[in-house]
Amino acid sequence: MESFVGALGLYGLGTLALIWPKRLELAAHYVSMGLAVIASLLVLVQALGEILGLTAGGGLMLGRYSLAVDGWAAAFLLIIGLSGAAVSIYGMGYGKGYLGARIRQLTGLWNLFLGSMVLVVLAGDAFTFILAWEIMALVSFLLVNHESEKKQVVNAAYQYMVMTHLGTAAILVAFYILGSGAESFAFMDLAHSELSPVHKHIAFGCAFIGFALKSGLMPLHVWLPNAHPAAPSHVSALMSGVMLKVAVYGFGRFVFEFIGADVVAYGLIVMVVGLLSAFLGVLYASMEKDMKRILAYSSVENMGIIFAAFGCGMLLVAMDRPYLSLVAFTAVLVHSFAHSLMKCLLFMSAGAVMHATGTRNIELLGGLLKKMPWTAAFTLIGSMSLASLPFTAGLVGEWLTLQSMMTLAFESGTPELRLLVIFTFILLGLTGALALGCFVRLYGITFLGRRRSNLVLKAQEMPFSMLLGMGIEALVILLVGIMPAPVVNGMRHVLVGNNAGIPAGDFIGLWWNGGQSEAVFNPWLMLLAILLLLVLTTLTISSRKIIVRQEMTWNCGTEPTRRQQYTATGFSKPLRRAFDFILKPHRERVFLQRDHAYFGRRLHYNLMIPDQFSDKLYRPVEHIVVKLAEALRIVQQGSVRLYIGYTMIAMVIVLLWGGM
């Protein structure tokens, strides 16, 4: 615990960049980001010690506030420490672009943001949790709103602030209900809270809504695709890669320690919402042209996968299969860890591309592989991982998620549950296929082919610190993909040691056969098969003389130009037509010249993919709220006597209520 407190102290020192003199703003930036790196490494080392059993979890009282750490907390502190260190290294170089543009505020708030997330995970009572949660929400709002001179940024920041406080209100209600049946708001006492079934259902519903909103699950995701592109890229990386996992931590704390997973309906709700979020998230990601909005919707997808696995584990617990649920909950932790790596990496890559070209629109890019080879290589690793390809961390968590679904299918006792599992496999299959197409599109349009605009001409490779931050994440992604067993074992032991009621068991087995074992694919066998295939291919090619002749691509008698390449919009058209009934695209064609009736005209084509949840759900609610507000203006007459009368009426009502 002392190391965590020391890390919090270093984050606090880094926050002092806010008050450094302006003439020393660059020095403040470097010192503050260096402190963030050191503090994050302290968190990482201590979390590893907790997971490996080298240190024992403990607690600390600070007045009425308490801190505590256990295995479940250590898994998420590991995520914060690793990604916090890597992205802080990247931020040293990236943040220099904000010199003269409130760089001290950006760097100081960066440390406060990291410290608040560590504090949320370390909280040992409801008061500490809510205080740290509110600090995290406020600081992330200020970071999203950093470029407040842009109207679009301000709108996104305030939308995020409203939505996150709605989630906080729901979590407060859940804590209040739990506290009403406990001796105090300490987590140890809340774990023994005695609730009636109705109160228990309300507490679960409020907790799920609050944490699902922070996680970006549909239909509570509307803030996420707007807030992530508005924030500086290293802030987006931390929000998507780390902050969303803090919400998973909070939900797990409620499920394992406070409410339990013994009600079948709880697991069904979580799993179905997760599955729909995963499918719709990647579908919308495949339609976007803004690089950071693609990654934002991809976060919706991956958080959906995490919650689908969580719901599957809850169902197995409710079916009295606690050990089999271990596979699902291990998938939650492993995929949370993997997603933090790959999403931090790709948001850093997006920042590098934007820093080099000045745009996030992939329709204006192309050919960046030659200009930015290291960034292209790291982006390829992150894209492969998000597409769940072999030898990457992204496959490990999804592999375990599919295994848990297979276990659920094997244990299904009713036809309805079997139909749900079939529906699950269909949606997960579609999600995986769409994710592969989405990131082939993102990488191919951005880095391959020929340039689509002159913006690419000025691109050059990023500074060493930015490449180092991306390289660390890319290396860990490959290490976890090639050697997944240590990570899977570590996360499993976290769960076995946690107060989740999950017994230990044999971990030697390789198949999901419903016995006492977990399946971890053997990457070395896959690597051996690929090497063998490469050797056979090489021998086949070298056994005969190959004549290579280059010819011009046939193009109806004309020479191909770079304007005739596939665009991101054209690449996604078949998918858009297949799911037209969901996406409801708006198409607009504008003729720029009309010199001739049939040819010689310039055409501008614009395609809009509206978010159906915003159009069909949130905007009607917004209109109703505005109309109610206008109707209530009748009581605002500007008369002091009238307001005094309102106060007296309210006092009379309170007195009558108290007397009754």
Side-chain angles (χ1 to χ4, degrees):
M1 180 58 70
E2 290 77 12
S3 296
F4 291 128
V5 174
L8 290 172
L10 290 176
Y11 286 133
L13 289 175
T15 305
L16 295 179
L18 292 165
I19 60 175
W20 277 51
K22 183 172 176 57
R23 66 179 183 277
L24 298 177
E25 62 179 1
L26 185 58
H29 169 69
Y30 281 127
V31 171
S32 183
M33 295 304 280
L35 289 170
V37 173
I38 296 170
S40 298
L41 290 175
L42 272 177
V43 172
L44 171 63
V45 172
Q46 186 67 18
L48 279 174
E50 295 284 345
I51 292 172
L52 298 176
L54 303 178
T55 58
L60 179 67
M61 292 296 298
L62 300 172
R64 63 178 300 178
Y65 302 103
S66 61
L67 304 179
V69 61
D70 58 8
W72 181 253
F76 292 90
L77 289 167
L78 177 70
I79 292 172
I80 298 172
L82 178 57
S83 293
V87 182
S88 295
I89 293 171
Y90 171 91
M92 288 183 178
Y94 185 83
K96 288 175 62 178
Y98 289 91
L99 276 174
R102 302 181 296 278
I103 188 174
R104 292 170 300 159
Q105 289 88 330
L106 178 62
T107 309
L109 291 173
W110 173 267
N111 277 267
L112 189 56
F113 187 36
L114 280 167
S116 66
M117 289 190 289
V118 172
L119 200 57
V120 169
V121 178
L122 289 177
D125 62 87
F127 291 117
T128 307
F129 185 94
I130 291 298
L131 175 64
W133 188 271
E134 272 296 284
I135 295 173
M136 180 180 72
L138 179 60
V139 174
S140 56
F141 159 74
L142 294 174
L143 288 169
V144 170
N145 197 44
H146 184 73
E147 300 178 20
S148 56
E149 63 276 5
K150 301 176 182 177
K151 183 178 179 180
Q152 185 178 5
V153 169
V154 174
N155 292 338
Y158 278 92
Q159 182 189 40
Y160 165 64
M161 193 63 169
V162 170
M163 293 298 291
T164 196
H165 274 86
L166 289 175
T168 303
I171 295 170
L172 275 170
V173 172
F175 271 125
Y176 176 78
I177 294 174
L178 286 170
S180 65
E183 294 183 2
S184 73
F185 282 97
F187 285 172
M188 294 178 60
D189 291 330
L190 291 178
H192 301 94
S193 179
E194 297 180 1
L195 299 176
S196 66
V198 174
H199 286 163
K200 182 178 179 180
H201 298 336
I202 296 173
F204 168 78
C206 290
F208 181 57
I209 289 172
F211 292 115
L213 194 152
K214 198 69 171 182
S215 301
L217 296 185
M218 290 188 174
L220 305 172
H221 70 290
V222 290
W223 63 270
L224 197 149
N226 297 324
H228 286 270
S233 294
H234 61 316
V235 174
S236 300
L238 212 58
M239 289 178 67
S240 181
V242 180
M243 188 183 74
L244 301 185
K245 311 308 173 301
V246 175
V248 178
Y249 160 80
F251 183 68
R253 181 68 69 189
F254 265 81
V255 169
F256 290 140
E257 196 167 349
F258 304 151
I259 298 176
D262 55 337
V263 180
V264 173
Y266 295 173
L268 286 174
I269 292 170
V270 174
M271 191 170 81
V272 170
V273 171
L275 288 171
L276 292 176
S277 295
F279 171 68
L280 293 175
V282 73
L283 181 61
Y284 277 101
S286 301
M287 301 295 113
E288 287 290 341
K289 296 180 289 186
D290 186 310
M291 198 171 183
K292 291 177 75 173
R293 284 181 66 87
I294 293 172
L295 298 177
Y297 274 115
S298 172
S299 293
V300 176
E301 173 220 348
N302 281 275
M303 296 308 295
I305 292 172
I306 291 169
F307 273 85
F310 214 127
C312 179
M314 293 170 68
L315 274 175
L316 288 168
V317 170
M319 294 163 59
D320 199 23
R321 302 291 188 274
Y323 179 72
L324 295 181
S325 69
L326 182 59
V327 182
F329 293 132
T330 303
V332 171
L333 290 178
V334 171
H335 199 59
S336 294
F337 179 70
H339 182 247
S340 72
L341 298 172
M342 50 200 183
K343 198 48 64 72
C344 283
L345 172 57
L346 280 189
F347 268 111
M348 288 190 285
S349 300
V353 170
M354 188 175 67
H355 188 76
T357 63
T359 184
R360 303 192 306 257
N361 188 350
I362 61 176
E363 298 280 32
L364 302 177
L365 301 174
L368 283 177
L369 176 62
K370 295 180 180 179
K371 297 279 188 177
M372 308 169 68
W374 285 105
T375 301
F378 297 145
T379 307
L380 178 61
I381 293 171
S383 299
M384 291 172 61
S385 188
L386 281 168
S388 301
L389 294 182
F391 310 113
T392 63
L395 177 61
V396 183
E398 294 205 26
W399 175 281
L400 290 171
T401 300
L402 286 172
Q403 181 192 341
S404 66
M405 298 299 177
M406 292 177 187
T407 304
L408 181 61
F410 185 80
E411 297 294 327
S412 298
T414 63
E416 293 80 9
L417 195 53
R418 292 192 183 96
L419 286 174
L420 175 63
V421 174
I422 293 172
F423 173 72
T424 298
F425 280 117
I426 292 172
L427 274 188
L428 286 178
L430 281 172
T431 300
L434 291 176
L436 178 61
C438 175
F439 287 98
V440 166
R441 172 181 179 262
L442 172 65
Y443 188 82
I445 299 297
T446 304
F447 290 96
L448 304 181
R450 299 165 67 183
R451 63 178 177 87
R452 292 173 171 81
S453 72
N454 292 332
L455 295 174
V456 178
L457 295 175
K458 64 177 183 179
Q460 57 184 355
E461 195 54 275
M462 294 294 101
F464 175 75
S465 64
M466 296 174 66
L467 294 177
L468 179 60
M470 291 188 283
I472 291 171
E473 299 280 41
L475 178 62
V476 179
I477 286 172
L478 293 177
L479 287 176
V480 174
I482 294 171
M483 297 181 291
V487 175
V488 177
N489 270 314
M491 296 305 183
R492 171 187 177 271
H493 290 308
V494 162
L495 291 165
V496 170
N498 194 42
N499 297 324
I502 301 173
D506 181 24
F507 192 58
I508 300 175
L510 291 175
W511 307 107
W512 67 270
N513 57 9
Q516 294 183 345
S517 61
E518 297 176 23
V520 178
F521 68 93
N522 192 331
W524 297 109
L525 293 178
M526 299 172 66
L527 183 60
L528 181 63
I530 290 176
L531 290 176
L532 181 61
L533 181 62
L534 288 175
V535 169
L536 292 175
T537 304
T538 303
L539 292 175
T540 302
I541 293 176
S542 60
S543 63
R544 62 184 69 181
K545 188 176 181 180
I546 303 297
I547 299 174
V548 178
R549 185 172 65 185
Q550 293 185 352
E551 297 286 354
M552 182 69 67
T553 301
W554 186 77
N555 194 44
C556 299
T558 63
E559 183 177 347
T561 67
R562 63 174 184 266
R563 293 186 61 206
Q564 294 173 323
Q565 299 178 96
Y566 262 108
T567 62
T569 303
F571 191 94
S572 61
K573 184 176 181 178
L575 184 63
R576 189 170 63 250
R577 294 185 66 180
F579 293 99
D580 189 84
F581 64 99
I582 295 176
L583 298 169
K584 305 291 184 182
H586 297 163
R587 302 173 181 87
E588 181 183 37
R589 291 185 298 173
V590 179
F591 295 98
L592 303 179
Q593 291 181 358
R594 289 187 176 274
D595 296 336
H596 195 279
Y598 299 102
F599 59 88
R601 300 180 299 175
R602 292 180 59 194
L603 177 68
H604 177 74
Y605 179 78
N606 188 32
L607 177 71
M608 295 289 295
I609 306 291
D611 190 312
Q612 295 299 316
F613 290 102
S614 295
D615 287 354
K616 306 297 184 184
L617 177 60
Y618 287 97
R619 285 200 175 90
V621 172
E622 178 186 355
H623 292 157
I624 293 172
V625 171
V626 170
K627 289 181 178 178
L628 287 175
E630 291 177 350
L632 290 174
R633 289 181 63 184
I634 192 172
V635 301
Q636 296 178 331
Q637 300 295 327
S639 171
V640 176
R641 289 178 295 178
L642 187 61
Y643 294 153
I644 293 174
Y646 293 156
T647 306
M648 292 180 64
I649 293 172
M651 291 175 62
V652 170
I653 293 174
V654 170
L655 290 171
L656 290 174
W657 180 266
M660 294 171 62

